[in-house]
Amino acid sequence: MLLKIIFVFFYTAPSYNRSEEYPGKALKNWSACTPCISTKIGNVKSQKGDGCVVDYTAEILYRTAYKSLRTLGVKKIDSLFLHELISNEITCTIIN
């Protein structure tokens, strides 16, 4: 007996330019196995050019997570990471 396993994994982040838009478009017509979706939160686009600003406030984390859900067109994200965690002090604040 041959066992065939297919695993589809999308790894993206809103700060990677338009990288959430492409899987989002593909998922609209997706009929294969349910993919695993991973993205990052905590980076927001800078008002100046193409750069990003790191912001771990609750409002930004909430807003970026829900924006990712809308952009990807999914009801859940399987793995949600903090983008560029830069300080142990910030980590402790987020956990508490």
Side-chain angles (χ1 to χ4, degrees):
M1 181 170 93
L2 179 63
L3 179 63
K4 184 176 180 181
I5 298 174
I6 299 173
F7 183 76
V8 179
F9 185 79
F10 288 107
Y11 174 79
T12 186
S15 63
Y16 301 158
N17 204 357
R18 299 171 55 192
S19 71
E20 288 185 335
E21 291 178 29
Y22 299 112
K25 288 178 182 180
L27 290 169
K28 285 182 182 178
N29 299 311
W30 195 263
S31 61
C33 62
T34 303
C36 182
I37 307 287
S38 176
T39 193
K40 297 179 180 180
I41 56 175
N43 269 7
V44 291
K45 292 189 188 256
S46 172
Q47 298 300 322
K48 302 175 184 177
D50 294 332
C52 290
V53 176
V54 176
D55 188 339
Y56 297 126
T57 60
E59 177 186 346
I60 293 298
L61 295 178
Y62 180 84
R63 188 170 56 193
T64 56
Y66 277 92
K67 185 173 187 283
S68 291
L69 287 169
R70 285 192 313 274
T71 304
L72 290 163
V74 296
K75 294 182 181 179
K76 70 178 181 81
I77 295 170
D78 299 292
S79 299
L80 190 61
F81 294 97
L82 290 175
H83 206 134
E84 297 180 22
L85 194 56
I86 54 174
S87 166
N88 191 35
E89 181 180 327
I90 292 172
T91 307
C92 292
T93 302
I94 292 169
I95 291 171
N96 291 327

